[in-house]
Amino acid sequence: MRVKLDSKKLCSEFVKKIEEISGQDLMSCYQCGKCSAGCPMVFAMDILPNQIIRLVQLGLDEEIGKSKTIWLCASCITCGARCPRGVDLSKVMEALRQLTLRKNEDTVELSKMAQETIKELPQIALVSGFRKFTG
Ligand code: SF4
Ligand code: SF4
């Protein structure tokens, strides 16, 4: 993953906002990767969970916005249980989703999903999907 760093954005308002919403100390993460190693959703993610927290640390919100990872997180809290620094990454993912939803940026338009797919999805997937997909 190649990204262009903007030093002005380091420790930006974005970082403070994510810390405020999630209640997590983002800078305590030292990139051990244990969160990603245990995450059951990494097979589908384009950016690993530990990489997401690194991007947040660096204030690279636009890079996170291009990724599907925060929407694929299942909030299973496996990452938080494994983290040696006590970082609950599921809360960071939720904070990132909340910030995106506050901007009214839809990630998936349910109206464009095939009716067959909607019928086959488990109800719980639709309920959680509505929470994530609506702006
Ligand atoms: S397990 Fe914790 S310290 Fe390790 S990379 Fe993940 S968030 Fe950072
Ligand atoms: S809470 Fe999300 S990021 Fe953490 S292990 Fe579960 S699916 Fe992965």
Side-chain angles (χ1 to χ4, degrees), residues 26 28-36 49-51 53 57 79 82-89:
L26 298 175
S28 68
C29 167
Y30 65 109
Q31 289 293 299
C32 68
K34 283 194 170 188
C35 49
S36 298
N50 68 293
Q51 292 174 325
I53 201 164
Q57 288 172 333
C79 47
R82 291 171 61 93
C83 179
R85 303 306 299 269
V87 179
D88 188 342
L89 192 43

Side-chain angles (χ1 to χ4, degrees), residues 17-19 21-22 90-100:
K17 182 57 79 179
I18 296 298
E19 286 193 331
I21 298 172
S22 69
S90 67
K91 290 183 177 171
V92 176
M93 296 284 194
E94 173 63 13
L96 289 165
R97 288 193 295 267
Q98 282 190 26
L99 273 193
T100 306

Side-chain angles (χ1 to χ4, degrees), residues 35 38-41 45 49 73-79 89-90 93:
C35 49
C39 175
M41 294 303 294
M45 292 174 172
C73 167
S75 303
C76 69
I77 66 172
T78 302
C79 47
L89 192 43
S90 67
M93 296 284 194

Side-chain angles (χ1 to χ4, degrees), residues 103-119:
K103 288 188 270 183
N104 264 353
E105 290 179 5
D106 287 325
T107 303
V108 172
E109 289 187 44
L110 211 54
S111 60
K112 291 186 178 172
M113 289 176 69
Q115 284 301 313
E116 297 77 36
T117 305
I118 293 174
K119 276 183 196 164

